[in-house]
Amino acid sequence: MAFTEFRPLNEKSLIEYIKSVPTLSSKLANNFDDITIKEVGDGNLNFVFIVSNSSGSFVIKQALPYVRCIGESWPMTKERAYFESVALKEEGRLIPEHVPEVYHFDRTMSLIGMRYIEPPHIILRKGLIAGVEYPFLALHISDFLANTLFFTSLLFRSTTDHKRDVAEFCGNVELCRLTEQVVFSDPYKVSEYNRWTSPYLDGDAEAVRADNLLKLEVAELKSKFIERAQALIHGDLHTGSVMVTPESTQVIDPEFAFYGPMGFDIGAFLGNLILAFFAQDGHATEANDRKAYKEWILKTIEDTWNLFHQKFIALWNEHKNGAGEAYLPGIYNNSEVLLLVQKKYITDLFHDSIGFGAAKMIRRIVGVAHVEDLESITDAAKRAASERRALDLAKTLLKERRKYEGISDIIATIRQF
């Protein structure tokens, strides 16, 4: 069976495909007698197959030419698989302990073969819903963020190398446009794709669409998202794009990757942790009021930013005399001026992160794709109450983000809602 043009695979045709690819079939010791294939794609866009036998295992991810959760009425480029494979390889080069290895990529079939992240790994979002603490999460995610963002920025690279890669990832424009639509546009206007917990949040959704100051601030964030090629960002770093055990953290699904503002990745992760915080009351029981777990989430938010900040500045100091062309060592040649530029850089990045995180929160409450943390609260009135608190906080953070001096201010503000 030839695979010379694109077609969606199923469990039967996938076996034939694997047989035709030595890199994949060798992972199974070319033994197809006891092969097991399970389609597990629970996201919005792709087919995901777990392939295993007694000799080995891997994952096959195939991009479809439409948004899976909507259907063929919403076309979507298959080329996103190419950009995901390139991003995974680059992230794997920079922080291999937190990214699955790519075994195979087929551009015609829009297909990636990669390391299977085995049980007991689960999607972080599901662990947060279950109330599981992950003691290394902040440490690991801050490692991922600091390394992927610093080493793909002009703090480390020449403008020649940077612009070459920026140009390459400009090809991922369709997924960038999808983000522009669902994060920065749809929640602020009437859109057929928007939804919310109705009727409880009808007035809240209308208030978002009528908030002129909110629209002013989100316009600035949208401009940064579109215009600022600061570093290679994951582009969709929510808690559904991370797999965890108490000891391990693996970042997956960078199909939205492009050269964009660093704060979008940081904010996406922190914003989703804040949503998880507000969802906890809806998952509380008489036996477990989740109060201690809410404190753990707040500590994880604080630790993630603080550790990222420390590691990012340490990398900057280590490579301050390197090839990076953002701050030339001949100009920024004393500790006083270096401290000044670092403080301004980090302050701006912090405010970007808070703004982008807030925008991601808003879209998850009154936009097209919601989060399981809140959606799994079966009592609609209780769910709406949690959502309203999160939404009110997000609006405050987005509009007032520049007044906050540090992550402790954000934690204190979260407690007020």
Side-chain angles (χ1 to χ4, degrees):
M1 186 182 293
F3 295 90
T4 55
E5 59 183 38
F6 176 83
R7 56 192 162 112
L9 293 174
N10 56 35
E11 294 180 6
K12 182 177 179 182
S13 57
L14 180 55
I15 292 176
E16 297 305 313
Y17 180 84
I18 293 167
K19 288 179 178 178
S20 72
V21 181
T23 310
L24 297 176
S25 58
S26 64
K27 297 286 181 188
L28 305 174
N30 295 296
N31 175 16
F32 295 90
D33 294 335
D34 63 344
I35 190 170
T36 300
I37 296 177
K38 184 179 181 183
E39 207 282 308
V40 296
D42 60 356
N44 297 322
L45 297 177
N46 309 289
F47 281 142
V48 181
F49 300 94
I50 298 171
V51 181
S52 62
N53 72 0
S54 54
S55 301
S57 62
F58 51 84
V59 164
I60 295 290
K61 182 174 181 179
Q62 186 179 34
L64 300 171
Y66 52 84
V67 178
R68 183 179 179 182
C69 69
I70 301 292
E72 295 185 26
S73 63
W74 191 334
M76 180 59 56
T77 177
K78 306 187 305 300
E79 276 293 279
R80 63 186 187 270
Y82 168 74
F83 294 104
E84 177 169 4
S85 71
V86 174
L88 278 170
K89 290 172 184 176
E90 179 68 359
E91 292 167 354
R93 184 179 70 81
L94 296 171
I95 191 86
E97 60 269 38
H98 297 307
V99 181
E101 180 184 355
V102 174
Y103 299 145
H104 170 73
F105 175 67
D106 184 331
R107 197 163 190 171
T108 299
M109 292 291 289
S110 303
L111 180 151
I112 307 171
M114 67 189 95
R115 176 171 61 86
Y116 173 38
I117 302 171
E118 297 181 336
H121 284 91
I122 62 169
I123 294 294
L124 172 57
R125 191 181 304 284
K126 294 186 180 297
L128 295 169
I129 294 168
V132 180
E133 294 186 15
Y134 296 98
F136 294 101
L137 179 62
L139 180 71
H140 291 167
I141 287 293
S142 60
D143 275 344
F144 175 86
L145 288 167
N147 282 274
T148 58
L149 297 179
F150 178 84
F151 286 113
T152 61
S153 78
L154 285 164
L155 297 173
F156 180 76
R157 312 179 80 205
S158 71
T159 53
T160 303
D161 290 343
H162 191 75
K163 286 183 181 296
R164 180 197 65 225
D165 290 345
V166 169
E168 166 91 349
F169 274 89
C170 280
N172 206 15
V173 61
E174 277 201 44
L175 267 71
C176 290
R177 283 180 61 80
L178 177 60
T179 300
E180 292 159 27
Q181 176 184 339
V182 302
V183 176
F184 301 110
S185 297
D186 280 358
Y188 305 93
K189 65 186 183 75
V190 175
S191 168
E192 64 180 301
Y193 299 113
N194 288 345
R195 64 181 182 85
W196 52 85
T197 303
S198 183
Y200 302 96
L201 297 186
D202 289 357
D204 301 82
E206 185 177 352
V208 168
R209 298 194 297 271
D211 191 328
N212 290 336
L213 182 56
L214 193 64
K215 290 178 179 180
L216 180 69
E217 294 297 338
V218 85
E220 181 178 320
L221 292 170
K222 183 178 181 179
S223 291
K224 285 190 176 186
F225 180 83
I226 296 168
E227 298 164 358
R228 185 136 203 229
Q230 199 172 20
L232 178 61
I233 66 172
H234 179 285
D236 200 28
L237 191 57
H238 54 73
T239 53
S241 295
V242 182
M243 297 190 71
V244 288
T245 69
E247 297 81 29
S248 170
T249 306
Q250 303 288 308
V251 178
I252 61 172
D253 293 349
E255 62 195 325
F256 283 79
F258 78 112
Y259 274 77
M262 296 180 184
F264 192 76
D265 270 4
I266 302 166
F269 187 74
L270 297 183
N272 273 259
L273 286 181
I274 296 172
L275 289 175
F277 171 87
F278 283 108
Q280 294 307 312
D281 288 350
H283 299 297
T285 63
E286 287 188 11
N288 183 358
D289 61 14
R290 295 287 183 112
K291 288 182 179 178
Y293 192 63
K294 288 170 72 174
E295 290 301 314
W296 176 83
I297 293 176
L298 292 179
K299 185 175 189 306
T300 300
I301 292 168
E302 191 165 17
D303 288 351
T304 298
W305 170 260
N306 286 335
L307 289 168
F308 164 79
H309 180 183
Q310 293 167 20
K311 294 169 187 179
F312 192 86
I313 292 296
L315 289 171
W316 189 338
N317 288 333
E318 181 183 350
H319 297 281
K320 65 185 178 183
N321 295 315
E325 295 195 54
Y327 297 95
L328 296 172
I331 301 172
Y332 303 93
N333 53 5
N334 65 72
S335 58
E336 183 179 355
V337 71
L338 186 61
L339 281 172
L340 282 173
V341 297
Q342 287 178 340
K343 182 177 181 180
K344 182 176 189 329
Y345 195 102
I346 290 295
T347 298
D348 290 346
L349 178 53
F350 177 68
H351 292 153
D352 283 356
S353 300
I354 298 308
F356 284 124
K360 297 279 273 185
M361 291 172 64
I362 291 169
R363 83 85 152 199
R364 293 293 192 178
I365 297 168
V366 297
V368 60
H370 292 202
V371 292
E372 188 182 351
D373 313 63
L374 292 162
E375 292 287 281
S376 58
I377 301 171
T378 54
D379 183 322
K382 188 179 288 188
R383 178 170 70 249
S386 293
E387 290 173 328
R388 180 174 290 115
R389 291 165 61 212
L391 182 61
D392 288 346
L393 170 73
K395 288 158 61 177
T396 298
L397 293 180
L398 201 156
K399 290 188 283 190
E400 301 180 7
R401 63 190 181 279
R402 297 174 197 85
K403 83 172 190 181
Y404 299 106
E405 296 184 3
I407 195 68
S408 60
D409 296 337
I410 303 300
I411 301 301
T413 304
I414 294 171
R415 291 187 187 279
Q416 294 172 12
F417 286 80

